[in-house]
């Protein structure tokens, strides 16, 4: 639990992670029905909880919290403070910029409190070849995106229409907190029966980003200017491999795609069949 001194400002109430950014500053906050914000140290894929004593800067904001957590009854989402600022700033003010950001999700038990967007994905036919597991990775993605930026409208995979045949987007959503539409493509950084390698990551990222560039131009019934490529990774090592691969892809290829790499301890996201 985060400790505050007697001069610390009260913790804000946050609906989404975007709400943790106030006037360009990432602050500690508590989401409805959650625990308080905590600090997380990420090192070699190992996550360690760390108690923080908040101090005030000249603006009255707790300024020594380097990592933030949005904690719910079913999961906690961990972001580094700079990554959170980059994500929100890029979404709100940099429509032409690409960004790669890493987050960690700690899933509790075997139950997710799915909201409306993810429930729609689970109850709508899926065009992918991954069956139930593909559907689950997309539904959990929608749940995370909803908690990050707030989703007020969603079109599922089979509801999206295209002007020509080609790569498709997994779902389209409208974010109420940033007031813009986003396409979301979901993939998993994994290799069946062997270790995931840098070569695997580069091949996967080039393929998915190329598909995003094409599908953004051909969606005909719901226009958006940017997509999020949501990459699920089983551990910090694989997440780091993906991040290094993304750094080697030229800006001319990545364009304005936001690459969100998230680790999660949830087997059904990665199961085959």
């Amino acid at each position: 639990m985060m400790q505050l001194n007697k001069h610390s400002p009260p913790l804000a109430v946050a609906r989404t992670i975007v709400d943790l950014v106030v006037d360009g500053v990432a602050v500690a906050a508590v989401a409805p029905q959650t625990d308080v914000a905590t600090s997380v140290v990420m090192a070699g894929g190992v996550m360690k909880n760390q108690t923080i004593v908040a101090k005030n800067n000249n603006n009255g904001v707790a300024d020594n919290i380097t990592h933030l957590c949005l904690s719910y009854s079913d999961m906690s989402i961990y972001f580094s403070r700079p990554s959170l600022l980059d994500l929100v700033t890029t979404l709100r003010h940099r429509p032409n910029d690409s960004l790669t950001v890493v987050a960690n999700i700690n899933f509790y038990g075997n139950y997710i409190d799915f909201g409306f967007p993810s429930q729609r994905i689970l109850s709508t036919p899926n065009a992918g070849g991954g069956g139930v597991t593909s559907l689950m990775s997309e539904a959990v993605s929608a749940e995370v995106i909803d908690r990050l930026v707030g989703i007020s409208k969603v079109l599922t995979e089979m509801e999206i229409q295209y002007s020509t045949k080609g790569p498709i987007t997994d779902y389209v959503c409208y974010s109420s907190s940033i007031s813009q539409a986003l396409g979301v493509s979901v993939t998993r950084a994994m290799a069946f029966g062997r270790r995931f390698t840098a070569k695997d990551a580069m091949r996967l990222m080039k393929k998915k980003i190329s598909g995003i560039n094409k599908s953004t131009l051909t969606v005909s019934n719901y226009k958006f200017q940017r997509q999020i490529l949501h990459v699920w990774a089983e551990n910090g090592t694989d997440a780091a491999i993906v991040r290094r691969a993304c750094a080697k892809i030229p800006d001319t290829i990545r364009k304005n795609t936001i690459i969100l790499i998230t680790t999660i301890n949830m087997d059904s996201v990665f199961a085959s069949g």
Side-chain angles (χ1 to χ4, degrees):
M1 179 174 291
M2 186 175 67
Q3 300 174 355
L4 301 177
N5 62 37
K6 63 181 180 180
H7 301 296
S8 298
L11 293 174
V13 174
R15 165 64 180 85
T16 67
I17 277 204
V18 169
D19 298 327
L20 297 181
V21 177
V22 179
D23 295 329
V25 178
V27 298
V30 180
Q33 302 177 349
T34 71
D35 299 326
V36 297
T38 59
S39 173
V40 177
V41 176
M42 304 292 289
V46 177
M47 184 177 68
K48 299 178 181 178
N49 292 327
Q50 179 182 12
T51 301
I52 291 295
V53 177
K55 296 180 180 179
N56 294 337
N57 60 21
N58 293 332
N59 296 320
V61 178
D63 64 356
N64 68 331
I65 301 171
T66 58
H67 289 76
L68 298 175
C69 166
L70 198 60
S71 181
Y72 299 85
S73 60
D74 54 354
M75 70 174 74
S76 290
I77 305 173
Y78 299 91
F79 264 96
S80 74
R81 190 173 179 179
S83 293
L84 173 61
L85 286 171
D86 282 345
L87 176 62
V88 176
T89 301
T90 302
L91 282 170
R92 284 179 167 169
H93 306 300
R94 299 173 184 167
N96 299 317
D97 289 359
S98 178
L99 175 71
T100 301
V101 62
V102 179
N104 179 278
I105 299 173
N106 187 22
F107 171 61
Y108 310 133
N110 56 9
Y111 172 79
I112 290 183
D113 186 14
F114 284 122
F116 172 73
S118 48
Q119 288 183 31
R120 285 212 68 232
I121 289 175
L122 285 170
S123 61
T124 304
N126 181 286
V132 175
T133 55
S134 173
L135 196 64
M136 181 59 68
S137 66
E138 292 169 16
V140 179
S141 168
E143 186 61 36
V144 171
I145 297 296
D146 186 28
R147 298 188 194 194
L148 293 184
V149 301
I151 296 176
S152 58
K153 180 178 181 179
V154 63
L155 289 184
T156 62
E157 193 171 48
M158 296 298 288
E159 294 172 328
I160 305 170
Q161 299 174 9
Y162 301 87
S163 58
T164 61
K165 290 185 177 181
I168 63 175
T169 295
D170 289 314
Y171 61 93
V172 176
C173 60
Y174 184 83
S175 166
S176 52
S177 63
I178 59 175
S179 301
Q180 62 181 269
L182 298 165
V184 182
S185 294
V186 184
T187 191
R188 299 175 292 180
M190 58 187 299
F192 294 102
R194 60 178 177 81
R195 290 181 58 188
F196 184 74
T197 67
K199 187 176 181 179
D200 293 326
M202 183 60 73
R203 184 187 306 113
L204 177 65
M205 291 300 98
K206 283 185 175 180
K207 176 182 177 182
K208 299 302 291 188
I209 293 172
S210 174
I212 280 174
N213 292 338
K214 293 176 182 177
S215 65
T216 298
L217 296 175
T218 58
V219 170
S220 60
N221 63 330
Y222 201 95
K223 287 301 180 183
F224 49 88
Q225 303 302 318
R226 162 180 274 159
Q227 288 204 47
I228 294 175
L229 174 54
H230 191 176
V231 185
W232 290 113
E234 293 183 273
N235 52 63
T237 299
D238 290 350
I241 290 173
V242 174
R243 184 167 191 166
R244 287 194 293 268
C246 293
K248 296 178 181 179
I249 299 175
D251 291 341
T252 53
I253 296 177
R254 287 187 290 127
K255 296 188 176 180
N256 68 343
T257 299
I258 291 179
I259 304 168
L260 173 63
I261 307 166
T262 51
T263 63
I264 188 170
N265 57 336
M266 185 177 182
D267 292 341
S268 58
V269 168
F270 303 98
S272 60

